[in-house]
Amino acid sequence: MAEKDLLTGEHFIHGDAACAEGGIAAGCRFFAGYPITPATEVAERMAARLPQVGGIFIQMEDEIASMAAILGASWGGVKSMTSTSGPGFSLMMENVGLGMMTETPCVVVDIQRAGPSTGLPTLVGQADVMQARWGSHGDYGCIALAPSSPQECFDYTVLAFNYSEIYRQPVFVLADEVVGHTTEKVVIPRREDLRIVARAEPQAPAHDYLPFDSAGPLPAPMAIAGAGYRVHVTGLTHDERGYPVITDVVQERNVRHLVDKIRKNADKIIRAEQIHLDDAEVVVVAYGCTARVARQAVEDLRRRGHRAGLLRLITLWPFPSQIVRRLATTVKAFIVPEINYGQMAYEVERTAGGGVEIVLMPLMGGSIHTPEEIEEAVGEYL
Amino acid sequence: MKVRYRALHPFDKEAEERHIQEDHGLHPYDEYLKPGRIPHIWCPGCGLGIVVTAFIEAMKQKNVPVAQSAVVSGIGCTGRVAGYLDMDTYHTTHGRAIPFATGLALVRQDLIVTVFSGDGDLFAIGGNHLIHAARRNVNLKVICVNNFNYGMTGGQVAPTTPIDARTSTTPFGNAEPSFNLPHLAHAAGAVYVARWTTYHARQLVHSISQAFDKKGFTFVEVVAPCPTGFGRPNKLGSGLDEMRHYREVCEVRNGADPSEVEIRLREKIIVGTFVDVERPDFMEHYQSLVVARAQAKAKSKGKGKAA
Ligand SMILES: Cc1ncc(C[n+]2csc(CCOP(=O)(O)OP(=O)(O)O)c2C)c(N)n1
Ligand code: SF4
Ligand SMILES: [Mg+2]
């Protein structure tokens, strides 16, 4: 069985399949999901693969149930995952909140299509960026990774699982239809070259153990069901023992912990690729499939001797504010092409402050930018 | 923030309608179909066309006025039915056709509201709503096209998929038993429950027209071929092969106990009208139990007091 769970070697697979393989490689052994274009292939791959490696695949009756099921499985001590797209992502939000409040590690893959509502089921969108950040009610920290290729679908699903274990919360892989349906070479590394964070077990004796300790920079290790800790897990505001306490005092500690464990560790979480930024006059900020087009545009401009650069966001959340703030003091403009009406551009503007021009290149969905369009927009500032 | 848009192409109604076939209106059912929407998206051999035809035929037979008809669909191949019918039609979200239709039917009792949707839409994601609408006996005509899978998304398992059948998410065979839809609808409180296959076109028309006559929650299951999603992995052949199969294995048993009409892969399918009863619908109870009392109270309270 051991050799089947990690398909070390070169594969020619699409991004959806790579997300599934990333999950399995990271140790995911429970998948609950619901078919939805363009994420169905993640579930289909899991349906075929999980029973081969001793895992469980279940197609639930909807996405509400899927999200709840992966939380339950996680408390059962098994790394768990689901996949969906816009309409299902919306339905998951209530239990995403439960996962945040109960500090439950798991991974949600969202292969974005164009909305709102049913929108363009088969075509690309990137408009779930803010939903990933703010979709469930209440405050909590958010980690969302945006792959630009099938290889990164694999890599970042593994990373998402690692983050979910370290920070004990649901982590999003925010891919898009183009990336999910692109078929390319994916290299699955050897076991010794793969960094996998295992589920931490509490060491303290039961009477000393605080399952929701908020004193340190990281959450307490999680006591899974049957481990003898008799933990109470609730979506109500709770103290460090997990007991509901309906006061402003405990709410203050509880929610600040949920936000701060990400905020204060942001430097460790944030990933961004900085291409030709050292002397850049104009910087394109892009992610997902758009980053590939943007890279082409920037390389073309460089070949023609222009000082263009690319900031490729890998973690959309936490957002790399420091990099943007630093660049804002030297560049003339940020160009933000994205397949929505300005979700990340808004964040760039908010972070950069007023001194620099922000140019949004929005697409409502269904198509991607061309390198020429981006070059033209950059060109206005060169 | 500056915004650089791509060019916007304004809606050109004339250009869009140029492709409406000049001979629209020649087919006897065209009156019921939105001009310019045909050809439809369904695969060759799909059972959906037969069900739409049966629905239109039942409307004609019962003289159901188009202007007072509304059709509500969820999402799926069956969900696309709404987009072809030339009446007020609502293509809603996956699983929520029934609650949407509940709102519509409650505020507009003059309308005949039909819910036309798939087995996955109505019994997986929408299963909760279906049983509650049946319990409440909301005045809805539900037509469920059961093709034993999620056709639209490419043939995944559904709550109707027979045990051991192959689908794209049950590549080794389905481990789950399926719902017996008439039994479920009956247990939840439907006042009319029937099942036919697309082979039983006339009986289907008859059942839909009987449903039009009833007040309350009616449920008609139509077993239909989906050669693309379900036929292929289970080696059931073409849509026509499946129709032949229905002819061979179906047994008409009107009045059959709904608990005994479960469907198994390649086995006998019992069809017929299983339930036809009367009980007050939601609005009738609401009027007598709530509105009447509330108004009486409002009247007595109003006495002697300045408003
Ligand atoms: C919330 C949500 N989840 C998933 C989907 C994707 N989806 C579209 S149609 C469908 C299944 C349709 O199956 P069924 O109702 O049986 O209709 P059929 O296509 O078989 O007629 C699914 C899962 C969606 N549109 N919305
Ligand atoms: S996939 Fe199945 S249900 Fe959908 S149109 Fe094709 S045959 Fe019909
Ligand atoms: Mg179906």
Side-chain angles (χ1 to χ4, degrees), chain B:
Chain B
M1 192 186 297
K2 274 194 193 166
V3 186
R4 280 180 72 102
Y5 295 105
R6 254 191 202 167
L8 199 63
H9 303 283
F11 183 58
D12 182 345
K13 188 160 189 284
E14 252 172 53
E16 290 300 327
E17 291 190 341
R18 219 166 283 146
H19 71 272
I20 295 180
Q21 288 125 354
E22 279 171 8
D23 50 2
H24 182 89
L26 294 182
H27 189 277
Y29 289 154
D30 278 354
E31 183 195 337
Y32 293 87
L33 298 172
K34 283 197 172 78
R37 296 283 295 140
I38 305 291
H40 55 67
I41 62 156
W42 297 316
C43 309
C46 178
L48 276 162
I50 296 172
V51 191
V52 175
T53 304
F55 176 71
I56 292 173
E57 188 56 38
M59 279 187 77
K60 282 185 107 161
Q61 283 186 10
K62 283 283 157 187
N63 283 320
V64 176
V66 164
Q68 260 124 274
S69 298
V71 170
V72 183
S73 289
I75 303 293
C77 296
T78 313
R80 291 298 191 95
V81 166
Y84 300 118
L85 293 167
D86 201 10
M87 51 197 74
D88 291 321
T89 49
Y90 304 89
H91 186 216
T92 62
T93 45
H94 191 32
R96 317 302 168 195
I98 286 182
F100 186 103
T102 297
L104 182 63
L106 294 191
V107 302
R108 290 294 302 274
Q109 292 166 64
D110 56 321
L111 297 181
I112 297 138
V113 181
T114 301
V115 171
F116 220 123
S117 216
D119 49 315
D121 188 86
L122 290 169
F123 284 91
I125 188 165
N128 195 23
H129 307 311
L130 186 128
I131 59 176
H132 286 284
R135 173 181 65 81
R136 295 183 177 112
N137 203 18
V138 182
N139 189 20
L140 296 176
K141 317 292 142 215
V142 178
I143 299 173
C144 174
V145 178
N146 180 7
N147 51 22
F148 306 106
N149 82 121
Y150 292 176
M152 176 61 95
T153 41
Q156 292 77 32
V157 73
T160 48
T161 307
I163 192 154
D164 212 23
R166 302 290 155 117
T167 69
S168 78
T169 46
T170 56
F172 308 104
N174 179 22
E176 302 177 19
S178 56
F179 272 144
N180 170 353
L181 305 188
H183 187 34
L184 188 58
H186 168 58
V191 293
Y192 181 90
V193 179
R195 171 199 283 154
W196 300 102
T197 77
T198 47
Y199 174 71
H200 302 87
R202 284 182 200 286
Q203 294 93 323
L204 176 59
V205 172
H206 184 66
S207 265
I208 298 172
S209 48
Q210 279 189 320
F212 281 138
D213 281 342
K214 295 210 57 108
K215 192 150 182 132
F217 189 92
T218 69
F219 180 77
V220 178
E221 175 188 2
V222 192
V223 171
C226 169
T228 311
F230 192 71
R232 193 160 39 181
N234 291 291
K235 303 195 165 53
L236 302 179
S238 68
L240 202 58
D241 290 331
E242 278 194 66
M243 295 283 275
R244 281 196 198 99
H245 173 72
Y246 298 155
R247 185 178 63 188
E248 280 156 25
V249 303
C250 286
E251 179 188 320
V252 180
R253 217 194 281 169
N254 289 313
D257 180 344
S259 71
E260 289 167 5
V261 303
E262 188 189 331
I263 298 176
R264 286 169 177 276
L265 190 62
R266 295 190 193 87
E267 288 182 17
K268 173 158 62 181
I269 301 174
I270 295 166
V271 295
T273 301
F274 306 135
V275 176
D276 191 351
V277 295
E278 298 292 330
R279 70 184 179 98
D281 78 331
F282 173 88
M283 280 318 281
E284 201 177 324
H285 270 149
Y286 189 72
Q287 281 297 342
S288 63
L289 297 179
V290 178
V291 176
R293 287 174 185 165
Q295 288 181 353
K297 193 166 182 187
K299 255 186 211 158
S300 65
K301 261 200 177 167
K303 265 180 213 155
K305 278 190 190 165

Side-chain angles (χ1 to χ4, degrees), chain A residues 295-315:
Chain A
R295 181 176 212 136
Q296 179 73 51
V298 166
E299 297 295 354
D300 287 350
L301 287 162
R302 280 278 162 180
R303 260 192 300 279
R304 281 181 252 136
H306 301 299
R307 280 155 56 184
L310 171 65
L311 175 61
R312 179 168 82 90
L313 308 176
I314 295 170
T315 48

Side-chain angles (χ1 to χ4, degrees), chain A residues 61-125:
Chain A
E61 50 275 22
D62 61 22
E63 293 85 349
I64 301 174
S66 303
M67 188 65 214
I70 67 167
L71 297 180
S74 187
W75 280 99
V78 173
K79 288 188 181 177
S80 61
M81 160 175 169
T82 188
S83 65
T84 190
S85 190
F89 200 47
S90 297
L91 286 181
M92 286 178 182
M93 283 303 151
E94 184 192 30
N95 286 290
V96 163
L98 179 64
M100 296 297 178
M101 192 58 151
T102 56
E103 301 192 67
T104 308
C106 60
V107 170
V108 178
V109 174
D110 175 11
I111 313 284
Q112 297 169 89
R113 62 194 223 184
S117 194
T118 312
L120 298 175
T122 57
L123 300 176
V124 68

